[in-house]
Amino acid sequence: MMRLFKNKWFERWARKEGVADESLLNAAVEIITGKVEADLGGSLFKKRLPIKRMGKSSGYRVIVGYKKPNAERIIFLYAFAKNVRTNITTKEEAALSLVAESFVSTTDKELQKLLDHGLIWEVKGHE
């Protein structure tokens, strides 16, 4: 069963931007089926996310951690609007890649600790 998560930064960003969990669920389905804009390596992917009534091409770019093909988890790590910036920096990519690798390889016990301490949130509604 696939589980979806948001880190603390992403949770705040999504709330501020009005990005519903339903959009993240739809993006996760596409990520699992290989529909991503870029495989950044190290379990890190870039995915387009639509802005309400504007579509994907002028929308957001989200950076997610996911280990394909048989991963059990996806974590939404970072996002930005295309009209604000074009991409993440090399340093940001390296840091996010470390976070993604750590997250996808963490144990269920460690994952529960992150949830309990409010460092990550689970996206519900995809069962």
Side-chain angles (χ1 to χ4, degrees):
M1 177 179 85
M2 177 62 66
R3 295 177 71 189
L4 309 177
F5 299 90
K6 302 178 272 190
N7 68 6
K8 192 173 188 175
W9 183 94
F10 195 95
E11 166 66 17
R12 274 190 248 131
W13 173 86
R15 210 173 336 120
K16 179 183 163 222
E17 295 293 322
V19 175
D21 282 354
E22 183 179 338
S23 292
L24 303 180
L25 296 169
N26 292 337
V29 169
E30 291 182 359
I31 292 164
I32 293 165
T33 60
K35 296 177 184 171
V36 295
E37 279 55 57
D39 180 342
L40 303 174
S43 301
L44 202 62
F45 295 86
K46 183 171 23 172
K47 178 73 186 138
R48 290 180 181 178
L49 196 65
I51 293 178
K52 291 179 186 175
R53 299 186 258 311
M54 291 183 68
K56 288 182 182 180
S57 63
S58 60
Y60 301 115
R61 302 300 182 260
V62 295
I63 308 297
V64 301
Y66 170 64
K67 192 159 187 124
K68 62 180 184 176
N70 297 316
E72 298 174 355
R73 310 176 186 136
I74 292 177
I75 186 163
F76 290 84
L77 298 168
Y78 187 72
F80 55 92
K82 186 179 177 192
N83 65 349
V84 173
R85 64 189 296 187
T86 57
N87 212 344
I88 58 174
T89 67
T90 304
K91 285 183 181 182
E92 289 170 325
E93 184 177 325
L96 289 167
S97 181
L98 288 173
V99 173
E101 283 287 336
S102 177
F103 179 80
V104 297
S105 64
T106 194
T107 66
D108 287 338
K109 186 176 181 179
E110 292 167 334
L111 183 69
Q112 189 59 51
K113 283 182 185 178
L114 293 171
L115 286 164
D116 292 343
H117 287 93
L119 299 172
I120 60 172
W121 283 260
E122 188 160 7
V123 177
K124 296 291 187 179
H126 58 283
E127 278 90 30

